[in-house]
């Protein structure tokens, strides 16, 4: 005997969602590790100022990469959520 589902209730399991989240967290973790290294070099007073600026610029690019990764992950999860509605 089938039990009726209340209106609006959807049982949805998207295959690959766990892998998507896992790979996203791995990429962001690697980017954050690199960002910490670059920021440490950018604030190293033993380096010449122009070298510090290069590290700062690289850190800014990594920050942008993190933001891009987060935006892509959010878009992917929203697209997957639409398939469950």
């Amino acid at each position: 005997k089938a039990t009726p589902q209340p209106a609006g209730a959807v049982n949805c399991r998207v295959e690959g969602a766990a892998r998507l989240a896992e790979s996203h967290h791995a990429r962001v973790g690697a980017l954050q590790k690199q960002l910490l290294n670059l920021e440490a070099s950018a604030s190293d007073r033993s380096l010449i100022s122009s070298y510090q600026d290069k590290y700062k610029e690289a850190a800014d690019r990594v920050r942008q990469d993190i933001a891009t990764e987060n935006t892509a992950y959010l878009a992917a999860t929203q697209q997957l959520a639409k398939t469950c509605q």
Side-chain angles (χ1 to χ4, degrees), residues 3-54:
T3 57
Q5 294 286 330
V10 175
N11 291 328
C12 182
R13 181 172 168 232
V14 178
E15 290 186 29
R19 280 193 319 264
L20 176 67
E22 183 180 317
S23 62
H24 165 72
H25 294 305
R27 285 189 299 272
V28 170
L31 287 169
Q32 288 174 334
K33 184 177 180 181
Q34 183 63 30
L35 179 59
L36 289 174
N37 291 335
L38 291 168
E39 286 181 337
S41 296
S43 62
D44 187 350
R45 297 293 180 201
S46 67
L47 293 176
I48 299 171
S49 178
S50 62
Y51 290 142
Q52 287 177 322
D53 291 341
K54 298 290 183 194

